[in-house]
């Protein structure tokens, strides 16, 4: 029997040489049904073309490095199985809505700034000393914010977000979900500090209920819900007579 | 080329590195801290840690038992004064993480919950479901964003430590995005670069775990301690090597062979599934060799069975394991056993450092997996490493801040010259190199296969000697590599080549240290010397470089510091 093979078409772009991204085709062996798109890229890099650039590390869906467009859908390539695409070719492109640094590597500085802007840390009016032990927190209180704490910053939601695609000033799904994660944490008192950043940010009102971000999230986070809840918080704050919520 | 200067420079953005950065700033809010990471910090391999962090938090627990468990687990190669200090600091650090927002799993009374773990005599492993490392890393990283004194250099790859008058004064780093070489100087430098699992083919470690910090320190003249002590975790998924957490057994999972027997009754009858990793991994390999393993498409395996725990416990305590089973194996662990086999997981060895993280090079500190402070000896207990990153990350941050406060400033002239020399070296060796016919991918795969075969769970003199020759041959071929990518922009072939250079270096220290230790202790199991020999080998191995001309490390031995726990037979 002939060896099973698969075609990978990967975006190539080196700003030192290329004026625009292009697709390069690689025909590689596909000997094992357990292979994922990332395995294919690693095969190409090790044995066919050492110049292909992309990010990856944990290959277990938790480090968030290997997000790419796979046949037009944002995916973690470490758990996108080739068997789900074969015998069709697999088109691997950098995540939508981001500038390309090189090949499949996107520039995510914008997110790093936005992440910091929502103050993703516990804010308290008064710190309790370490000697005072832990804050008590029930499982029910953890469940309030738990899903929003599962974000791995993989950027798939930004690649899927039509609002971010039109307007990069939009704070975006993951940053809002992470702001929500802290706002909902029983230990946190930073709601009023974060609210202006989120309320004044561009684009939050353009977000529809489409929820592409939640659909593509590989970790079951529902950023669309975080955004809708945040809109509600914002409205309450400006309509209630004593809207000084903490 | 550029130059930037800090008081304290941290290399690595995982749990130890970020904890060190924060500790340095909190020790002295007026200092400037630089943090270099070859990836965005939240990609660091801490993210993959699952089970939890050990700390004495309960009234029924005690520092003495945590210390004793750790020392016995280490097969008495741990430095006992370090262990005793560690167990006292760990609870403080766990509480600190709680204050920073770590979503630790809780008991009904709202206090931090604990679970049982291998080699621990009582429940003391704090956890955030089975994503403890992920939550700890994101918590500490996001918290670090509030400190304006911490300046990050993300995706910068350190190629060399700058040493001036026997003192470490910074690094040369390649900015991956621009291809620019920078000298980043500092009065004190902390290495927190993690492990080296990628020298093996079958490993739980991510692609970034290539022993960079160990190789950098070794080349700068520091000693690498106990490098023969490589941990093999009993439960990795076949093919990928993805880690299945020890917490699966902590929560009550069974390990069974193809006869359906919980075979650990023949090896660690009093601990069963909660025995230490080194012994369980050996038990599994022994069972495989006796024909009692399952045969699968990706080699032999055992079953790890949690079906009796029920869906509710699994979803509350082990949700990520269920997700990994579904996503990567196409199984539901609620209904199917998990196929597992031993897999390289952790490096006990590392850059020799004292209790404050200080190495033998003035101004150079080390913390976390890349360091060897004497905590783990021959075998680390599960859940001690996340705590180690916190405790010794913080200690090294404080010590480095204090040293930086009194250290002389770094002088510019020799640094400029060193930057120039290092940039030229990398350009000549890789970017401008012509000719060559060896692919780095091929050399790397051969190294990994050879290390699996020769320096795995069991070792022999013959196997290690063969491996020495193989690594020598690979080092020689590395000189003839062909680099296809000459771009300055995000050239991952260049970084992969430099990582391979580091990996070949540290592999040689593993093999030389293993070959010289004619006994079996902890994770170092020699078939030709199956017994522990305290008379000769109750000592740390320290490997020093002889320079690029001679790849064989020079070995020295240091006494293990014993305080309250006299070595005894290690049975469970």
């Amino acid at each position: 029997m002939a060896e099973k093979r698969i075609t990978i078409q990967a975006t190539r772009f080196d700003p030192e040489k290329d004026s625009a991204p292009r697709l390069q085709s690689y025909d590689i062996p596909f000997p094992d049904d357990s292979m994922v798109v990332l395995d294919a890229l690693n095969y190409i890099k090790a044995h066919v073309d050492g110049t292909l650039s992309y990010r990856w590390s944990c290959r277990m869906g938790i480090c968030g490095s290997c997000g790419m467009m796979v046949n037009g859908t944002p995916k973690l390539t470490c758990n996108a199985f080739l068997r789900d695409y074969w015998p069709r070719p697999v088109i691997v492109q950098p995540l939508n809505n981001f500038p390309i640094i090189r090949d499949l590597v996107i520039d995510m500085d914008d997110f790093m700034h936005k992440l910091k802007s929502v103050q993703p840390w516990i804010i308290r009016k008064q710190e309790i000393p370490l000697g005072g032990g832990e804050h008590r927190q029930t499982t029910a209180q953890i469940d309030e914010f738990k899903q929003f704490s599962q974000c791995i910053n993989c950027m798939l939601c930004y690649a899927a977000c039509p609002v971010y695609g039109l307007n990069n000033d939009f704070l975006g799904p993951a940053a809002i979900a992470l702001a929500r994660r802290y706002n909902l944490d029983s230990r946190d008192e930073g709601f009023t500090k974060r609210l202006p950043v989120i309320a004044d940010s561009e684009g939050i009102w353009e977000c529809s209920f489409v929820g592409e971000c939640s659909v593509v999230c590989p970790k079951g986070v529902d950023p669309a819900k975080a955004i809708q809840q945040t809109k509600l918080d914002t409205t309450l704050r400006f309509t209630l007579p004593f809207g000084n919520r903490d | 080329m550029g130059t930037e200067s800090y008081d304290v420079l941290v290399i690595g953005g995982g749990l130890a590195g970020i904890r060190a950065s924060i500790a340095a700033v909190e020790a002295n809010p007026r200092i400037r801290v630089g943090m270099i990471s070859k990836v965005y910090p939240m990609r660091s391999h801490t993210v993959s840690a699952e089970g939890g962090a050990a700390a004495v938090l309960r009234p029924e627990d005690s520092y003495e038992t945590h210390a004793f468990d750790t020392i016995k687990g280490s097969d008495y190669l741990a430095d006992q004064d370090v262990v005793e200090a560690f167990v006292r600091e760990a609870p403080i650090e766990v509480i600190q993480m709680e204050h920073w927002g770590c979503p630790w799993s809780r008991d009904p009374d709202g206090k931090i919950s604990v679970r049982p773990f291998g080699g621990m005599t009582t429940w003391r492993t704090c956890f955030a479901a089975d994503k403890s490392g992920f939550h700890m890393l994101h918590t500490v990283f996001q918290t670090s964003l509030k400190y304006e004194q911490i300046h990050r250099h993300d995706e910068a790859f350190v190629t060399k430590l700058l040493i001036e008058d026997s003192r470490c004064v910074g690094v040369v780093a390649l900015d991956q995005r621009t291809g620019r070489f920078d000298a980043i100087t500092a009065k004190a430098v902390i290495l927190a670069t993690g492990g080296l699992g990628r020298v093996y083919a079958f490993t739980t470690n991510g692609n970034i775990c290539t022993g960079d910090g160990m190789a950098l320190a070794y080349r700068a003249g520091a000693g690498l301690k106990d490098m023969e002590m490589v941990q093999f975790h009993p439960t990795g998924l076949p093919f990928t090597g993805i880690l299945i957490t020890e917490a699966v057994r902590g929560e009550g999972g069974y390990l069974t062979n193809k006869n359906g027997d919980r075979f650990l009754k023949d090896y660690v009858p009093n601990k069963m599934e909660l025995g230490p990793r080194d012994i369980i991994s050996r038990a599994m390999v022994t069972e495989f060799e006796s024909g009692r393993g399952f045969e699968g498409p990706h080699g032999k395996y055992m079953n790890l069975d949690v079906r009796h725990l029920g869906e509710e416990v699994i979803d509350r305590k082990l949700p990520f394991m269920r997700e990994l089973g579904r996503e990567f194996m196409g199984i539901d662990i609620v209904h199917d056993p998990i196929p597992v086999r031993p897999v390289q997981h952790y490096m006990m060895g590392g850059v020799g450092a004292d209790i404050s993280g200080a190495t033998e090079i003035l101004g150079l500190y080390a913390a976390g997996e890349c360091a060897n402070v004497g905590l783990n000896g021959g075998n680390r207990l599960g859940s001690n490493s996340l705590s180690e990153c916190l405790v010794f990350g913080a200690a090294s941050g404080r010590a480095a801040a204090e040293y930086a406060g009194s250290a002389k400033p770094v002088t510019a002239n020799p640094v400029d010259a060193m930057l120039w020399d290092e940039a030229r070296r990398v350009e000549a060796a890789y970017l401008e190199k012509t000719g060559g016919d060896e692919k780095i991918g091929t050399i790397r795969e051969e190294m990994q296969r050879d290390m699996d075969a020769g320096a795995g769970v069991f070792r022999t003199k013959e196997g290690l000697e063969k491996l020495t020759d193989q690594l020598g041959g690979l080092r020689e071929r590395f000189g003839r590599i062909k680099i296809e990518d000459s771009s300055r922009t995000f050239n991952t072939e260049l970084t992969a080549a430099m990582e391979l250079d580091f990996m070949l270096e540290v592999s040689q220290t593993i093999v030389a240290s293993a070959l010289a230790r004619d006994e079996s202790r902890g994770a170092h199991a020699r078939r030709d010397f199956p017994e522990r020999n305290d008379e000769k080998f109750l000592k740390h191995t320290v490997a020093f470089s002889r320079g690029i001309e001679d790849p064989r490390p020079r070995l020295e031995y240091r006494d293990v510091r014993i305080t309250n726990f006299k070595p005894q037979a290690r049975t469970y």
Side-chain angles (χ1 to χ4, degrees):
Chain A
M1 205 177 87
E3 185 191 43
K4 196 163 147 189
R5 300 184 76 84
I6 192 162
T7 300
I8 307 290
Q9 295 180 291
T11 297
R12 304 306 314 270
F13 175 67
D14 180 352
E16 296 171 29
K17 294 194 295 239
D18 304 319
S19 54
R22 66 196 150 82
L23 283 177
Q24 186 166 346
S25 199
Y26 302 94
D27 177 55
I28 60 160
F30 176 26
D32 194 315
D33 254 6
S34 305
M35 282 173 72
V36 293
V37 172
L38 179 60
D39 292 324
L41 297 177
N42 287 340
Y43 181 88
I44 293 167
K45 180 132 186 108
H47 301 286
V48 183
D49 184 349
T51 68
L52 183 65
S53 280
Y54 51 96
R55 295 185 178 109
W56 72 287
S57 182
C58 79
R59 55 78 179 88
M60 55 189 282
I62 194 77
C63 81
S65 320
C66 72
M68 300 172 209
M69 306 301 293
V70 180
N71 284 7
T73 305
K75 292 262 186 199
L76 294 181
T77 53
C78 70
N79 69 1
F81 284 84
L82 294 176
R83 60 178 184 248
D84 295 335
Y85 302 94
W86 188 86
R88 291 172 298 139
V90 183
I91 302 168
V92 188
Q93 294 166 294
L95 287 178
N96 279 354
N97 301 339
F98 292 93
I100 307 174
I101 294 176
R102 163 93 191 262
D103 296 345
L104 300 160
V105 179
I106 54 141
D107 178 346
M108 56 178 281
D109 280 355
D110 182 48
F111 171 75
M112 299 306 282
H113 295 306
K114 283 173 174 159
L115 176 66
K116 184 176 174 181
S117 77
V118 301
Q119 304 173 65
W121 51 79
I122 294 283
I123 297 171
R124 290 186 63 83
K125 295 200 181 84
Q126 181 132 36
E127 297 275 344
I128 60 169
L130 285 183
E134 72 257 63
H135 307 86
R136 300 290 181 102
Q137 192 167 49
T138 64
T139 300
Q141 286 173 319
I142 294 174
D143 287 344
E144 286 288 308
F145 70 87
K146 186 166 124 186
Q147 67 132 323
F148 299 122
S149 73
Q150 306 291 318
C151 171
I152 60 172
N153 305 353
C154 65
M155 303 292 102
L156 300 197
C157 56
Y158 284 78
C161 175
V163 180
Y164 186 69
L166 292 171
N167 177 5
N168 279 185
D169 290 333
F170 178 35
L171 205 45
I176 294 173
L178 283 162
R180 192 90 198 137
R181 172 254 175 275
Y182 283 94
N183 285 343
L184 291 172
D185 191 317
S186 59
R187 296 166 291 189
D188 184 79
E189 298 166 335
F191 178 84
T192 50
K193 286 215 166 87
R194 290 186 200 97
L195 190 57
V197 182
I198 303 163
D200 299 346
S201 94
E202 297 272 342
I204 187 166
W205 300 101
E206 275 86 81
C207 171
S208 66
F209 286 92
V210 175
E212 284 300 325
C213 49
S214 303
V215 173
V216 299
C217 178
K219 294 286 127 181
V221 184
D222 188 355
K225 183 176 165 193
I227 295 170
Q228 300 315 325
Q229 288 175 342
T230 301
K231 282 184 190 172
L232 195 63
D233 286 343
T234 311
T235 318
L236 286 175
R237 184 190 180 225
F238 293 119
T239 54
L240 294 177
F242 301 100
N244 184 19
R245 287 186 50 186
D246 280 319
Chain B
M1 288 192 283
T3 308
E4 195 142 3
S5 187
Y6 296 101
D7 296 297
V8 173
L9 180 63
V10 180
I11 320 300
L15 189 60
I18 301 174
R19 185 66 191 89
S21 299
I22 296 175
V25 169
E26 295 210 318
N28 181 356
R30 287 185 307 281
I31 64 173
R32 271 167 49 88
V33 174
M35 192 170 86
I36 305 181
S37 170
K38 68 176 176 178
V39 292
Y40 283 100
M42 66 276 186
R43 315 303 189 205
S44 304
H45 197 64
T46 303
V47 82
S48 296
E50 295 167 347
V56 175
L57 289 177
R58 294 307 165 100
E60 64 272 21
D61 199 358
S62 72
Y63 297 136
E64 289 68 32
T65 14
H66 190 187
F68 175 68
D69 291 346
T70 301
I71 290 161
K72 184 179 176 186
S74 81
D75 218 347
Y76 294 91
L77 195 66
D79 288 314
Q80 299 187 1
D81 54 337
V82 171
V83 179
E84 288 169 326
F86 162 77
V87 298
R88 286 178 159 73
E89 285 294 314
I92 301 168
E93 287 295 327
V94 163
I95 299 295
Q96 176 67 80
M97 285 298 296
E98 195 281 332
H99 285 213
W100 284 338
C102 185
W104 294 122
S105 296
R106 305 286 179 146
D107 281 347
D109 64 0
K111 287 189 155 187
I112 297 170
S113 206
V114 286
R115 65 170 29 137
F117 237 70
M120 302 281 187
T121 46
T122 186
W123 296 26
R124 64 164 70 94
T125 299
C126 312
F127 58 100
D130 52 354
K131 289 187 181 174
S132 307
F134 161 77
H135 284 299
M136 291 172 79
L137 180 64
H138 280 252
T139 297
V140 78
F141 173 61
Q142 289 168 6
T143 299
S144 78
L145 297 175
K146 75 179 175 190
Y147 296 90
E148 297 296 339
Q149 304 98 317
I150 300 173
H151 302 260
R152 292 204 325 273
H153 296 251
D154 295 336
E155 301 198 313
F157 185 94
V158 174
T159 68
K160 185 184 171 62
L161 298 181
L162 294 172
I163 306 290
E164 188 197 352
D165 288 339
S166 310
R167 171 187 163 202
C168 184
V169 295
V171 305
V172 173
L174 170 72
D175 180 73
Q176 293 185 74
R177 190 179 302 191
T178 60
R180 196 181 69 183
F181 288 91
D182 295 312
I184 304 176
T185 65
K187 293 175 188 163
V189 175
I190 302 172
L191 290 170
T193 55
L196 50 61
R198 285 278 155 176
V199 306
Y200 289 87
F202 194 60
T203 175
T204 62
N205 286 195
N207 182 48
I208 57 177
C209 303
T210 51
D212 304 359
M214 298 178 201
L216 289 165
Y218 180 70
R219 287 179 178 181
L224 298 185
K225 209 162 120 197
D226 298 334
M227 292 298 281
E228 64 275 39
M229 299 302 180
V230 181
Q231 181 162 79
F232 293 84
H233 194 292
T235 61
L237 292 180
F239 187 62
T240 58
I242 290 173
L243 171 68
I244 296 300
T245 174
E246 189 166 304
V248 168
R249 285 171 284 134
E251 297 296 341
Y254 298 145
L255 207 45
T256 56
N257 63 18
K258 78 168 185 192
N259 302 328
D261 290 333
R262 288 174 66 192
F263 58 92
L264 291 170
K265 66 183 188 306
D266 299 328
Y267 301 87
V268 276
N270 298 319
K271 285 274 186 188
M272 293 300 288
E273 278 80 2
L274 288 177
R277 291 171 178 176
D278 57 336
I279 298 178
I280 295 184
S281 285
R282 282 196 290 277
M284 290 172 77
V285 172
T286 304
E287 291 285 301
F288 291 155
E289 289 172 351
S290 310
R292 291 191 289 271
F294 296 89
E295 295 283 348
H298 303 110
K300 295 186 168 63
Y301 68 91
M302 293 295 183
N303 272 345
L304 180 59
D305 198 339
V306 290
R307 289 176 292 184
H308 55 287
L309 299 183
E311 189 166 7
E312 200 192 323
V313 170
I314 290 169
D315 281 348
R316 180 59 68 183
K317 300 281 190 64
L318 303 167
F320 190 37
M321 297 306 104
R322 194 173 186 192
E323 182 185 324
L324 289 174
R326 270 188 184 138
E327 301 258 334
F328 292 92
M329 299 294 291
I331 60 171
D332 183 349
I333 69 170
V334 170
H335 305 295
D336 309 300
I338 314 164
V340 290
R341 67 181 173 94
V343 56
Q344 193 284 339
H345 180 58
Y346 182 84
M347 185 57 177
M348 272 73 72
V351 183
D354 71 12
I355 202 161
S356 69
T359 71
E360 290 164 330
I361 297 176
L362 186 65
L364 183 67
Y365 298 76
E369 190 173 346
C370 80
N372 179 312
V373 295
L375 176 67
N376 301 307
N379 174 65
R380 175 177 68 79
L381 291 191
S383 74
N384 267 352
S385 71
L386 288 171
S387 305
E388 175 182 10
C389 287
L390 293 172
V391 169
F392 293 98
S396 64
R398 289 182 203 117
E402 190 187 339
Y403 170 76
S406 60
K408 281 190 300 185
V410 180
T411 43
N413 276 345
V415 167
D416 289 344
M418 286 188 279
L419 168 61
W420 176 257
D421 288 349
E422 175 61 4
R424 281 309 305 151
R425 179 190 73 86
V426 175
E427 281 161 357
Y430 304 106
L431 288 171
E432 292 162 11
K433 186 173 186 296
T434 50
D437 53 2
E438 292 282 356
K439 283 186 98 66
I440 51 177
T442 311
I443 296 179
R444 187 176 56 226
E445 283 172 11
E446 283 188 37
M447 170 194 71
Q448 291 169 334
R449 209 165 47 225
D450 295 342
M451 287 294 287
D452 275 10
V457 172
F458 287 104
R459 294 123 185 230
T460 62
K461 180 168 185 282
E462 291 69 34
L464 290 163
E465 282 174 344
K466 182 177 165 197
L467 184 53
T468 307
D469 293 342
Q470 288 168 323
L471 289 175
L474 291 170
R475 170 54 78 184
E476 192 251 324
R477 285 166 58 192
F478 184 79
R480 299 198 306 271
I481 52 167
K482 180 182 171 69
I483 303 281
E484 300 165 32
D485 195 343
S486 58
S487 174
R488 294 281 178 159
T489 310
F490 223 94
N491 186 334
T492 51
E493 192 180 29
L494 171 62
T495 45
M498 292 192 286
E499 286 171 339
L500 177 58
D501 182 28
F502 290 157
M503 288 194 284
L504 287 168
E505 193 93 283
V506 293
S507 294
Q508 266 159 338
T509 67
I510 294 172
V511 180
S513 303
L515 195 50
R517 187 177 281 274
D518 290 338
E519 65 155 357
S520 290
R521 179 186 302 272
H524 175 67
R526 286 277 298 266
R527 288 193 195 273
D528 39 356
F529 296 94
E531 301 300 322
R532 192 174 84 192
N533 182 347
D534 285 343
E535 209 166 304
K536 250 187 108 180
F537 287 107
L538 189 56
K539 288 178 190 312
H540 298 291
T541 314
V542 190
F544 291 94
S545 171
R546 294 178 200 257
I548 41 171
E549 299 305 315
D550 188 346
R552 295 167 310 149
R554 178 175 58 80
L555 300 182
E556 289 182 10
Y557 290 89
R558 307 270 162 84
D559 287 338
V560 175
R561 291 193 299 279
I562 309 276
T563 57
N564 292 311
F565 306 94
K566 299 286 165 254
Q568 46 183 271
R570 183 169 170 250
T571 52
Y572 288 95

